[in-house]
């Protein structure tokens, strides 16, 4: 069974339907990039995967568990917020605007989840957190507050914070869109090495180069629906749909 | 002309004669007031005695206890009302709006008087089958003042806390959720610490107002500083001397509170 299975996902904000029946499967260890024009519903779909948005119809399963619901007696019962919180432990998320906790140091940001949510031993978590900061190349910034770090550094701390929960799945919501151009590379490098290590990732991005070299599969969304999906070579170099062709023509 | 430019010219700063004049006027006014105070028919030498008079000290203690209890209760209630105001439950939201409308809308003095006279309309305070106590036993001057000051302040605190909570970026809550935090943990680990920066300065101001507001409890004969001053002067008729002694205590308390506020703001200040 695929790690992520989405079937017929629909979502409206008011009268605007932003997701019109999305079907998507992500296998373990697979890296899937969601591409498409802004307003296509890429970010909204990603947020549905860890129930930051509630879907109106369809369903999303992560590792065999329906997200935001409990299956019993042929029905799906909506979960309480603290039950959803338990489900989210296994899914890491990285945001466009980093969203680091500004009142805590880089190290404290990374330790926050394991200590406060998993109630693990502080000393043990600290060792792991330092190793994670080392992995994203920021060991020497452990004591710095987010306000003292560049955008690229903040985003790498945010990735370490998500990894500290040892997630099965990582969601990236335009992780480089808020960065100065010269800082994009350092974040993509961390994400690339994460993909090489076998992490399952869904990445909403406008970085076509990253999608081409790292993604196993590229999914192209327009107006809340999947228009085209396949290997980067198929979708990016040989697009079949006119909407995909138009979009790629503008991006390059 | 050109040769002038090469000469070593002395710079003459702009003179400010009006600064000297206005400064002199202010000094004169202060000197005049000082002279008036010295000429006033006041027993200055009695003021220090009233300052440390046992009745005055008792009033001081009662003032501090009342202010701290009322402010403390108001902070707790204010957080609860603010959370109700931001709640998804419409009944809770309406209740919070009505609560703030009522307790912020009425003068504190009126609220104190209403609580103090509650026994006139409710003989007993009771929950059927559970307990019942005579109102005039429960509603002492302290309790009436505590309710009047505390409930009014809680309405203001609710608005301050709401502003603080709303000032924290929604992305912070989302980030907390994404690492599996429950709503309670998110509130006390992520949102409240950041909201404190917005909450503390107005709370400090309100506490300073609360210290002075306790003086209204004198109308229901609660022995705070003003009532203590009146008690002392009713025996010796040195009304101004005792009031000045009380005034000195207010200034001491407010100064200490200001220092405390400064350190609190620094502790929660931006990084």
């Amino acid at each position: 069974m695929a790690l992520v299975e989405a079937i017929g996902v629909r979502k409206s904000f008011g009268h605007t339907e932003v997701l019109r029946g999305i079907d998507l499967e992500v296998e373990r260890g697979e890296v899937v990039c969601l591409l498409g024009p802004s307003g296509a519903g890429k970010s909204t779909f990603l947020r549905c995967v860890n129930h930051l948005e509630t879907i109106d119809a369809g369903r999303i399963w992560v590792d065999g568990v329906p997200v935001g619901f409990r299956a019993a007696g042929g029905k799906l019962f909506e979960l309480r917020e603290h039950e959803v919180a338990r489900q989210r432990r296994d899914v890491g998320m990285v945001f466009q605007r980093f969203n680091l906790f500004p009142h805590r140091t880089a190290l404290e940001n990374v330790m926050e989840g394991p200590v406060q949510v998993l109630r693990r031993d502080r000393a043990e978590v600290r060792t792991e957190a330092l190793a994670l900061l080392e992995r994203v190349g920021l060991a020497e910034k452990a004591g710095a507050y987010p306000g003292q770090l560049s955008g690229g550094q903040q985003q790498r701390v945010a990735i370490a914070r998500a990894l500290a929960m040892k997630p099965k799945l990582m969601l990236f919501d335009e992780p480089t869109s808020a960065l100065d151009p010269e800082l994009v590379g350092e974040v993509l490098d961390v994400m690339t090495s994460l993909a090489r290590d076998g992490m399952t990732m869904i990445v909403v991005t406008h970085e076509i180069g990253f999608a081409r070299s790292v993604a196993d599969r590229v999914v192209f969304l327009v107006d809340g629906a999947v228009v085209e999906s396949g290997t980067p070579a198929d979708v990016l170099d040989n697009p079949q749909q006119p909407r995909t062709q138009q979009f790629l023509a503008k991006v390059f | 002309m050109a040769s002038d430019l090469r000469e070593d010219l002395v710079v003459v700063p702009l003179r400010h004669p009006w600064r000297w004049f206005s400064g002199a006027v202010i000094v004169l006014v202060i000197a005049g007031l000082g002279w008036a105070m010295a000429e006033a028919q006041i027993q200055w030498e009695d003021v220090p005695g009233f300052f440390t008079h046992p009745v005055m000290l008792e009033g001081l203690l009662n003032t501090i206890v009342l202010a701290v209890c009322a402010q403390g209760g108001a902070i707790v209630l204010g957080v609860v009302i603010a959370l109700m105001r931001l709640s998804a439950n419409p009944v809770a939201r309406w209740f919070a709006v009505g609560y703030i409308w009522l307790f912020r809308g009425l003068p504190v003095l009126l609220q104190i008087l209403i609580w103090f006279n509650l026994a006139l309309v409710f003989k007993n305070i009771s929950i059927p089958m559970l307990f019942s106590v005579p109102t005039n036993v429960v509603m002492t001057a302290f309790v009436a003042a505590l309710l009047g000051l505390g409930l009014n302040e809680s309405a203001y605190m609710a608005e301050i806390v709401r502003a603080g909570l709303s000032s924290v970026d929604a992305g912070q809550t989302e980030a907390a959720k994404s690492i599996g935090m429950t709503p309670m943990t998110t509130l006390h680990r992520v949102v409240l610490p950041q909201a404190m920066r917005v909450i503390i300065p107005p709370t400090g101001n309100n506490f300073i107002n609360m210290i002075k507001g306790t003086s209204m409890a004198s109308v229901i004969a609660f022995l705070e500083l003003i009532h203590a001053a009146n008690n002392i002067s009713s025996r010796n008729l040195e009304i101004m001397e005792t009031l000045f002694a009380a005034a000195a205590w207010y200034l001491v308390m407010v100064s200490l509170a200001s220092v405390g506020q400064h350190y609190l703001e620094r502790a929660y200040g931006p990084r």
Side-chain angles (χ1 to χ4, degrees):
Chain A
M1 192 182 177
L3 183 62
V4 180
E5 246 181 306
I7 303 166
V9 174
R10 290 182 173 273
K11 171 74 185 172
S12 299
F13 291 116
H15 293 298
T16 318
E17 193 171 35
V18 281
L19 300 179
R20 305 163 189 263
I22 304 258
D23 298 325
L24 184 73
E25 282 193 10
V26 181
E27 298 296 333
R28 277 165 216 281
E30 199 180 13
V31 177
V32 173
C33 281
L34 301 184
L35 299 182
S38 45
K42 311 178 296 288
S43 291
T44 305
F45 176 76
L46 201 70
R47 292 161 58 81
C48 288
V49 175
N50 71 351
H51 208 63
L52 284 181
E53 305 286 355
T54 311
I55 61 179
D56 299 334
R59 62 185 78 157
I60 301 175
W61 303 72
V62 173
D63 205 14
V65 179
V67 173
F69 295 92
R70 179 168 44 85
K75 288 182 181 166
L76 287 176
F77 294 93
E78 196 172 351
L79 293 179
R80 294 173 181 287
E81 193 56 35
H82 68 264
E83 295 169 314
V84 180
R86 182 164 280 275
Q87 291 185 340
R88 290 197 187 105
R89 293 178 182 184
D90 296 334
V91 181
M93 185 155 187
V94 174
F95 300 86
Q96 182 177 350
R97 302 188 46 100
F98 331 133
N99 295 347
L100 288 179
F101 305 133
H103 55 304
R104 303 195 191 286
T105 63
L107 181 64
E108 288 167 346
N109 265 278
V110 180
M111 291 174 64
E112 189 70 8
V115 171
Q116 295 300 325
V117 176
L118 303 178
R119 301 276 163 208
R120 289 181 48 205
D121 175 60
R122 184 169 269 279
E124 198 180 294
V125 170
R126 190 186 151 83
T127 313
E128 283 182 19
L130 285 169
L132 279 170
L133 285 175
E134 175 88 55
R135 182 172 172 187
V136 299
L138 289 171
E140 79 285 3
K141 296 289 186 185
Y145 284 94
Q148 299 162 332
L149 299 174
S150 74
Q153 291 170 332
Q154 288 189 56
Q155 194 61 298
R156 287 186 282 153
V157 173
I159 293 172
R161 177 176 67 177
L163 292 176
M165 295 297 287
K166 298 182 179 152
K168 297 171 190 159
L169 168 70
M170 284 285 284
L171 308 173
F172 292 86
D173 187 4
E174 304 200 20
T176 57
S177 298
L179 297 177
D180 291 340
E182 78 272 22
L183 303 177
V184 169
E186 62 190 58
V187 172
L188 292 182
D189 287 347
V190 169
M191 291 169 61
T192 305
S193 90
L194 202 56
R196 301 264 183 272
D197 291 347
M199 175 62 77
T200 312
M201 295 163 54
I202 306 180
V203 185
V204 172
T205 187
H206 293 296
E207 297 291 333
I208 304 292
F210 174 81
R212 188 193 305 281
S213 62
V214 179
D216 297 305
R217 198 144 51 87
V218 169
V219 176
F220 189 74
L221 265 73
V222 176
D223 292 337
V226 175
V227 171
E228 196 162 354
S229 143
T231 63
D234 287 344
V235 176
L236 298 177
D237 300 331
N238 190 19
Q240 301 300 309
Q241 300 294 325
R243 283 308 307 265
T244 318
Q245 291 164 357
Q246 283 169 16
F247 177 77
L248 290 172
K250 276 184 201 156
V251 171
F252 285 119
Chain B
M1 286 306 283
S3 65
D4 281 357
L5 289 177
R6 233 165 286 134
E7 279 172 36
D8 207 4
L9 298 177
V10 175
V11 173
V12 182
L14 181 63
R15 305 278 187 227
H16 295 283
W18 288 104
R19 286 187 191 169
W20 286 98
F21 178 77
S22 53
V25 168
I26 292 167
V27 169
L28 265 175
V29 167
I30 291 173
L33 284 174
W35 179 75
M37 282 298 191
E39 288 294 296
Q41 297 184 5
I42 256 190
Q43 264 40 68
W44 287 112
E45 64 280 7
D46 291 349
V47 174
F50 295 141
F51 189 71
T52 54
H53 194 288
V55 175
M56 189 67 82
L57 294 181
E58 196 187 339
L60 172 71
L61 181 68
N62 286 338
T63 293
I64 293 171
V65 170
L66 178 58
V68 169
C69 289
Q71 189 69 41
I75 289 171
V76 174
L77 261 179
V79 171
V80 173
I81 299 296
L83 290 175
M84 291 175 81
R85 181 83 173 73
L86 297 168
S87 151
N89 182 343
V91 181
R93 280 203 306 271
W94 294 336
F95 176 82
V97 169
Y99 180 98
I100 293 166
W101 173 77
L102 183 69
F103 288 108
R104 196 174 59 174
L106 295 175
V108 181
L109 185 57
L110 179 75
Q111 293 188 48
I112 292 175
L113 289 171
I114 286 175
W115 286 114
F116 192 58
N117 292 300
L118 204 66
L120 296 178
V121 287
F122 299 110
K123 284 275 168 281
N124 296 294
I125 295 174
S126 62
I127 294 177
M129 322 271 235
L130 276 179
F131 76 93
S132 176
V133 286
T135 304
N136 54 15
V137 172
V138 179
M139 202 53 70
T140 60
F142 176 77
V143 173
L146 184 66
L147 287 171
L149 288 163
L151 292 177
N152 174 260
E153 175 62 14
S154 73
Y156 282 96
M157 282 310 303
E159 290 292 86
I160 292 170
V161 172
R162 180 173 70 95
L165 294 177
S166 306
S167 75
V168 179
D169 183 56
Q172 291 291 310
T173 310
E174 291 187 350
K177 282 180 174 178
S178 79
I179 56 170
M181 276 194 185
T182 59
M184 279 309 288
T185 313
T186 303
L187 185 67
H188 92 257
R189 292 290 301 178
V190 176
V191 177
L192 267 184
Q194 296 183 63
M196 286 310 251
R197 229 185 323 172
V198 174
I199 291 173
I200 284 176
T203 303
N205 285 342
N206 278 19
F207 180 59
I208 284 169
N209 263 331
M210 174 65 79
I211 291 173
K212 296 173 294 175
T214 54
S215 60
M216 280 181 278
S218 62
V219 298
I220 54 170
F222 178 68
L223 189 77
E224 45 64 66
L225 276 174
I226 304 271
H227 194 62
N230 288 342
N231 276 1
I232 298 169
S233 62
S234 67
R235 270 170 263 159
N236 55 27
L237 300 180
E238 293 192 66
I239 293 171
M240 283 301 259
E241 290 79 353
T242 51
L243 285 179
F244 279 3
W249 273 122
Y250 281 113
L251 289 177
V252 168
M253 285 190 291
V254 167
S255 306
L256 288 177
S258 306
V259 172
Q261 181 183 12
H262 172 76
Y263 282 105
L264 261 180
E265 277 177 30
R266 215 168 59 173
Y268 282 96
R271 308 272 185 207

